[in-house]
């Protein structure tokens, strides 16, 4: 949650916020806040306003193993959504997925009710890497590795940032690979492979930034982030300063 919104919930006026900020009387983990727009979570950070600790609101952070056939949306009139996979007591209008996965794409999805965090993790300036396991219907060669490294260009002239392609197995009818990208254009991975002459037949996200899909988490299952993962969230919050 933005710092100013959290303080507003504590009935602090905008004028008082600005004055306290200038006087360095707003502390986040014992460091002066740099902006009223910075993202904070009192469940992970200590927030002090003019000597008074603010309890505020503790956000939720979940890891979900998205199955095929489920859409990344809060509601859908025809198809099941990732929110439908959660029990009723967890579902909330404030909960949303950080980034989208196509309906037929499986794998790691992060869910939170901390709105600014999603914007931060998806913003190009943070260069958050995303790694996918890919199956395609043809041959992948070392030449493709270089093309991905140079930056794939789509037919409409769109240039993709350099990507890391690792060949796991390859033959004329089916190949397996791992690809890491740092952006999220529409159907990007599928279009990248089409541009080198093969079609993606299965796609699974296994890593998002510093988060790795839990191997014990079956498709359709979710869990709260563990203490080590919450430290990662905390580090992202500190970056927002």
């Amino acid at each position: 949650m933005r710092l100013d919104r959290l303080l507003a919930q504590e009935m602090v006026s905008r004028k008082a916020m600005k004055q306290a900020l200038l006087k360095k009387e707003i502390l986040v983990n014992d460091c002066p806040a740099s902006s009223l727009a910075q993202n904070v979570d009192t469940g992970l950070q200590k927030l002090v306003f003019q000597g008074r600790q603010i309890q505020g609101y503790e956000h939720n952070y979940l890891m979900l193993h998205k199955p095929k056939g489920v859409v990344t949306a809060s509601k859908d009139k025809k198809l099941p959504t990732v929110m439908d996979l959660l029990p009723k007591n967890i579902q909330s209008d404030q909960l949303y997925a950080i980034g989208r996965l196509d309906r037929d794409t499986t794998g790691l999805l992060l869910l939170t009710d901390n709105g600014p965090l999603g914007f931060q993790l998806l913003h190009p300036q943070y260069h958050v890497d995303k790694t996918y396991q890919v199956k395609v219907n043809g041959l992948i060669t070392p030449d493709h590795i270089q093309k991905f490294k140079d930056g794939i260009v789509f037919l409409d002239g769109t240039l993709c940032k350099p990507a890391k392609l690792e060949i796991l197995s390859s033959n004329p009818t089916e190949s397996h690979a791992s690809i890491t990208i740092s952006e999220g254009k529409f159907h990007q991975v599928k279009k990248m492979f089409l541009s080198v002459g093969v079609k993606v037949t299965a796609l699974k996200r296994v890593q998002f930034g510093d988060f790795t899909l839990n191997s014990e988490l079956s498709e359709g299952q979710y869990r709260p982030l563990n203490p080590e993962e919450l430290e990662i969230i905390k580090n992202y919050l500190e970056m927002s300063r």
Side-chain angles (χ1 to χ4, degrees):
M1 180 180 291
R2 279 175 53 125
L3 176 58
D4 54 358
R5 293 177 183 172
L6 180 56
L7 292 176
Q9 291 182 358
E10 297 291 316
M11 307 306 292
V12 178
S13 69
R14 188 74 182 179
K15 181 179 180 181
M17 292 181 207
K18 291 181 178 179
Q19 290 176 343
L21 184 71
L22 290 173
K23 294 179 181 179
K24 301 187 184 301
E25 294 177 341
I26 307 176
L27 304 179
V28 181
N29 281 348
D30 298 322
C31 294
S34 58
S35 167
L36 292 174
Q38 76 181 75
N39 190 12
V40 296
D41 182 344
T42 54
L44 301 175
Q45 299 167 300
K46 179 183 176 182
L47 174 61
V48 175
F49 177 79
Q50 294 181 330
R52 174 172 65 96
Q53 185 168 348
I54 304 296
Q55 297 302 325
Y57 179 82
E58 184 175 345
H59 289 287
N60 292 311
Y61 304 98
L62 308 174
M63 177 183 292
L64 173 74
H65 188 165
K66 179 189 171 300
K68 189 174 182 178
V70 174
V71 295
T72 308
S74 298
K75 296 179 181 179
D76 191 277
K77 294 181 179 180
K78 297 181 179 180
L79 299 169
T81 74
V82 292
M83 296 303 168
D84 294 329
L85 299 173
L86 306 177
K88 295 294 184 181
N89 64 316
I90 296 291
Q91 294 179 17
S92 164
D93 291 339
Q94 303 301 317
L95 200 64
Y96 73 101
I98 300 178
R100 299 180 64 85
L101 289 177
D102 298 339
R103 179 175 139 190
D104 56 351
T105 300
T106 65
L108 173 59
L109 200 61
L110 297 177
L111 305 174
T112 184
D113 54 4
N114 186 345
L117 179 70
F119 173 80
Q120 180 179 344
L121 288 175
L122 296 172
H123 198 282
Q125 78 180 74
Y126 293 103
H127 305 290
V128 177
D129 287 341
K130 295 168 281 289
T131 300
Y132 297 81
Q133 291 178 350
V134 186
K135 181 169 71 173
V136 300
N137 66 349
L139 192 67
I140 303 178
T141 70
D143 182 54
H144 294 149
I145 295 177
Q146 188 60 48
K147 288 183 177 180
F148 276 64
K149 184 177 180 180
D150 292 339
I152 293 291
V153 181
F154 296 154
L155 291 176
D156 63 1
T158 299
L159 174 64
C160 296
K161 292 181 179 179
K164 180 182 178 181
L165 176 64
E166 179 183 356
I167 301 173
L168 303 178
S169 65
S170 185
N171 64 63
T173 57
E174 182 178 286
S175 299
H176 296 258
S178 170
I179 177 175
T180 300
I181 61 175
S182 61
E183 52 189 346
K185 294 180 172 63
F186 184 67
H187 291 317
Q188 180 174 343
V189 173
K190 295 177 181 179
K191 289 180 179 179
M192 291 174 77
F193 281 97
L194 279 176
S195 71
V196 296
V198 291
K199 181 180 179 180
V200 172
T201 56
L203 186 61
K204 178 180 182 180
R205 184 160 68 191
V206 294
Q207 193 161 357
F208 184 100
D210 294 319
F211 300 95
T212 301
L213 181 63
N214 190 328
S215 59
E216 297 180 356
L217 202 62
S218 300
E219 286 191 13
Q221 291 186 332
Y222 80 98
R223 64 163 175 78
L225 295 190
N226 60 38
E228 292 77 14
E229 292 162 341
L230 289 175
E231 279 297 312
I232 297 172
I233 293 290
K234 184 177 176 181
N235 290 335
Y236 280 119
L237 293 173
E238 294 299 323
M239 288 170 57
S240 73
R241 297 178 56 198

